[in-house]
Amino acid sequence: TSGSGTSTLTFNYTVADGNTSTDLDFVGTGSLGLKAANPGTPVYVKTQEAEGVTISGNYSYVADFTSGLAIIDISDPTSPGKPVYEDISGYSHRVAISGNYEYVPNRNFALAIIDISDPTNPGTPVYVNTSNRPYDVAISGNYAYVAVSGSGLAVIDISDPINPGTP
């Protein structure tokens, strides 16, 4: 609650019914320091040619260039599942997720929209044609913002992902 810019910080803690922990006892001046983590040896899941990745819940969504999209169960990061692939009819570089839908620009002049409400069985892609090759996508609210080579920014209404607007 106070102490910004000083060497002493003051915290307020409200003890709720049933709280008996001593976790907030003063241990030493290093109590608030972060210990350096040892990341250990990486665990790899082989895909064809990973280009971009995003995480939602217990799944990793990998834009896998010529293979389209690879969905990997990462509920146990020390032993991830095998990829489930979804063909998007073109090369993919990036991926974005909003709600139950995944948005993947593909090099065949389209943005692929895929229902991922069941990540183990993704829906058939819906495509929005773009004037040139899309390379990246960002989602904000009801709009997909797509970087399109040679054309600039395409803004696509995705308020109904099954029937999206055109750029």
Side-chain angles (χ1 to χ4, degrees):
T1 58
S2 68
S4 178
T6 70
S7 61
T8 302
L9 298 176
T10 303
F11 298 91
N12 287 339
Y13 178 75
T14 303
V15 179
D17 288 339
N19 282 8
T20 58
S21 174
T22 59
D23 291 350
L24 296 176
D25 287 350
F26 176 78
V27 176
T29 57
S31 295
L32 297 177
L34 296 175
K35 296 180 180 169
N38 179 359
T41 303
V43 175
Y44 291 96
V45 175
K46 180 72 176 139
T47 65
Q48 295 299 313
E49 195 170 347
E51 295 270 331
V53 64
T54 192
I55 305 293
S56 181
N58 289 326
Y59 291 89
S60 171
Y61 298 84
V62 179
D64 205 38
F65 196 54
T66 57
S67 298
L69 173 68
I71 302 173
I72 303 167
D73 182 339
I74 56 169
S75 55
D76 178 0
T78 64
S79 181
K82 294 184 189 283
V84 172
Y85 288 96
E86 179 64 40
D87 183 19
I88 61 160
S89 301
Y91 303 135
S92 60
H93 293 286
R94 303 288 181 265
V95 59
I97 294 176
S98 181
N100 287 328
Y101 291 90
E102 179 170 44
Y103 300 84
V104 185
N106 77 40
R107 301 257 327 260
N108 285 344
F109 305 97
L111 174 67
I113 303 172
I114 304 166
D115 183 340
I116 54 168
S117 53
D118 178 1
T120 64
N121 186 26
T124 302
V126 171
Y127 296 97
V128 178
N129 291 326
T130 57
S131 57
N132 282 309
R133 291 183 175 156
Y135 282 94
D136 203 357
V137 60
I139 308 299
S140 181
N142 289 328
Y143 293 92
Y145 298 87
V146 184
V148 180
S149 176
S151 298
L153 179 68
V155 181
I156 301 169
D157 184 342
I158 55 169
S159 55
D160 179 2
I162 301 302
N163 188 26
T166 58

